[in-house]
Amino acid sequence: DLHLCDRRQRQMCIRDRIGPLYNLIWESIVPYLTDIVTLYVAPSGLFSTISFAAFKNPDGSYIAGKYTIHNLLSTRDIAILKERKEKTSGKKDVVLFGGADFGLSASMLEASDNVDTAEESRSSLVRGTVDDLLNRRGQGFDFLPGSLAEVQAIEKITSAAKWKTSLFTDTKATETRLKSYSGNSSKVLHISTHGFYFSPPDKDSLLDVRRVQGNSFSKAVEPMMRSGLLLSGANNIWTGRTPADISNDGVLTAYEIANLDFSNTELVVLSACDTGLGDIDYSEGIYGLQRAFRLAGVRSMIISLWKVPDEETTALMTAFYIAWTSGLPMKQAFEKAQMDLRKRYPEEPYKWGGFVLIE
């Protein structure tokens, strides 16, 4: 269970456990893959938390270099995927959220949603990781410089490709603004921020011991309330303060997302930590963000299976959009971006292997 590893040990955890997982899972499958180059993977239970692309062959190469791996939520999606035809030549519209000001006050939050010319405020919070925040208990989430750089770079890439691009950062990266796209969503929705998932409150786990004081999300019985994304102003409710508008508290839970309509969206990119995690139901899959966006109507999504590094995530995402806007199909563009990072960090799969494209 990699999300239980201490932050300083995480890289070693991922590196040391991927090898044994290959022997346990993949080695027995290899004899049946003669002349096979395309794989469809619809994992169940704990297998949903495994990055198959990060598996290494005995010769030291990654299996992602040998096979085209399609990650699915269900085997029934194989038929849907084969019938789906992507228009690579058509222009798309993309909405970008990133560089959010998590410390935004309630009054500024209301102004930023109602007045387009509202004065923008840069958060003075120091950059940190989710693990750091759990250790500091209730001090809120830190501003992510890489997140801001990422969405600004993607805006330039997509605008140059003549895609219709909308960018929301700082005080404008709000929950209300994102929800406003329900029923009229863009083809591409990119959210670069902090993500969270808390295990059930009655579990005896490391995360339970370090629960954020005053945080109601970590204690929720409903699993879709213990998984979500952070947007502008999230620190108000996250640290125990009551926001002026509970429906726009800056914490967008999986439960809320599941009740939105993003049926026009071809792809949602969740450029954040732990967005692929959730409560595991061995008959129904994972109760978390991936289920929420699928229920909202999204066809494909890029999610993370562990806590991802800020700098390398920015590099992966920009490489993906460069390849995609250059004319490659979405799947091939993602594979190329991951391959670029894989070549740059051949012995560090934790820097690129955490993201998977679910089709």
Side-chain angles (χ1 to χ4, degrees), residues 160-231:
K162 305 303 181 183
W163 288 17
K164 180 182 177 181
T165 305
S166 301
L167 173 63
F168 301 107
T169 64
D170 299 322
T171 63
K172 295 188 179 298
T174 63
E175 180 181 2
T176 294
R177 198 175 296 273
L178 197 154
K179 286 179 176 177
S180 71
Y181 284 95
S182 178
N184 187 32
S185 59
S186 58
K187 294 296 183 182
V188 183
L189 174 61
H190 185 105
I191 308 172
S192 178
T193 183
H194 284 293
F196 69 91
Y197 163 68
F198 289 106
S199 54
D202 58 347
K203 272 191 174 180
D204 182 19
S205 71
L206 182 60
L207 281 180
D208 287 316
V209 173
R210 300 186 298 171
R211 288 190 182 282
V212 180
Q213 291 177 345
N215 186 312
S216 60
F217 300 98
S218 64
K219 305 180 180 95
V221 175
E222 166 57 53
M224 302 283 272
M225 291 292 291
R226 285 185 272 104
S227 176
L229 301 165
L230 280 295
L231 294 164

Side-chain angles (χ1 to χ4, degrees), residues 291-329:
R291 170 182 289 267
F293 277 104
R294 183 54 62 86
L295 288 173
V298 172
R299 288 189 280 282
S300 300
M301 62 195 89
I302 294 176
I303 60 172
S304 63
L305 300 179
W306 55 65
K307 301 196 186 307
V308 292
D310 201 22
E311 182 179 345
E312 287 76 18
T313 295
T314 298
L316 176 69
M317 293 302 169
T318 52
F320 165 63
Y321 281 96
I322 289 173
W324 197 12
T325 56
S326 296
L328 283 180

Side-chain angles (χ1 to χ4, degrees), residues 58-331:
D59 62 4
S61 63
Y62 287 97
I63 69 170
K66 183 176 182 180
Y67 305 103
T68 296
I69 303 174
H70 295 276
N71 294 282
L72 311 170
L73 293 184
S74 169
T75 52
R76 69 181 179 183
D77 292 332
I78 296 175
I80 298 173
L81 183 61
K82 288 186 175 182
E83 292 178 0
R84 186 186 303 165
K85 301 296 182 182
E86 181 184 351
K87 295 180 180 180
T88 57
S89 59
K91 307 304 180 185
K92 301 181 185 298
D93 59 316
V94 55
V95 174
L96 306 164
F97 284 81
D101 182 354
F102 305 112
L104 188 61
S105 69
S107 59
M108 291 179 64
L109 186 65
E110 182 177 356
S112 68
D113 274 324
N114 295 318
V115 182
D116 290 336
T117 58
E119 181 181 356
E120 304 220 351
S121 170
R122 179 77 65 197
S123 172
S124 61
L125 296 174
V126 178
R127 176 184 172 185
T129 67
V130 176
D131 282 331
D132 291 331
L133 297 164
L134 287 169
N135 284 325
R136 295 209 311 264
R137 299 218 172 203
Q139 292 184 24
F141 283 81
D142 289 353
F143 176 73
L144 291 171
S147 167
L148 180 61
E150 177 183 312
V151 292
Q152 288 176 334
I154 294 170
E155 179 191 31
K156 292 180 180 179
I157 295 167
T158 54
S159 296
K162 305 303 181 183
W163 288 17
K164 180 182 177 181
T165 305
S166 301
L167 173 63
F168 301 107
T169 64
D170 299 322
T171 63
K172 295 188 179 298
T174 63
E175 180 181 2
T176 294
R177 198 175 296 273
L178 197 154
K179 286 179 176 177
S180 71
Y181 284 95
S182 178
N184 187 32
S185 59
S186 58
K187 294 296 183 182
V188 183
L189 174 61
H190 185 105
I191 308 172
S192 178
T193 183
H194 284 293
F196 69 91
Y197 163 68
F198 289 106
S199 54
D202 58 347
K203 272 191 174 180
D204 182 19
S205 71
L206 182 60
L207 281 180
D208 287 316
V209 173
R210 300 186 298 171
R211 288 190 182 282
V212 180
Q213 291 177 345
N215 186 312
S216 60
F217 300 98
S218 64
K219 305 180 180 95
V221 175
E222 166 57 53
M224 302 283 272
M225 291 292 291
R226 285 185 272 104
S227 176
L229 301 165
L230 280 295
L231 294 164
S232 292
N235 284 345
N236 287 313
I237 192 169
W238 195 268
T239 56
R241 298 191 296 272
T242 302
D245 181 1
I246 194 66
S247 64
N248 182 31
D249 54 25
V251 180
L252 184 63
T253 65
Y255 182 86
E256 292 174 289
I257 293 168
N259 289 282
L260 300 177
D261 177 10
F262 288 152
S263 56
N264 193 47
T265 299
E266 295 176 357
L267 174 70
V268 62
V269 181
L270 303 182
S271 184
C273 295
D274 298 338
T275 52
L277 302 183
D279 283 13
I280 296 175
D281 184 313
Y282 284 87
S283 61
E284 296 293 334
I286 291 183
Y287 284 85
L289 288 168
Q290 54 180 290
R291 170 182 289 267
F293 277 104
R294 183 54 62 86
L295 288 173
V298 172
R299 288 189 280 282
S300 300
M301 62 195 89
I302 294 176
I303 60 172
S304 63
L305 300 179
W306 55 65
K307 301 196 186 307
V308 292
D310 201 22
E311 182 179 345
E312 287 76 18
T313 295
T314 298
L316 176 69
M317 293 302 169
T318 52
F320 165 63
Y321 281 96
I322 289 173
W324 197 12
T325 56
S326 296
L328 283 180
M330 177 176 63
K331 169 65 174 174

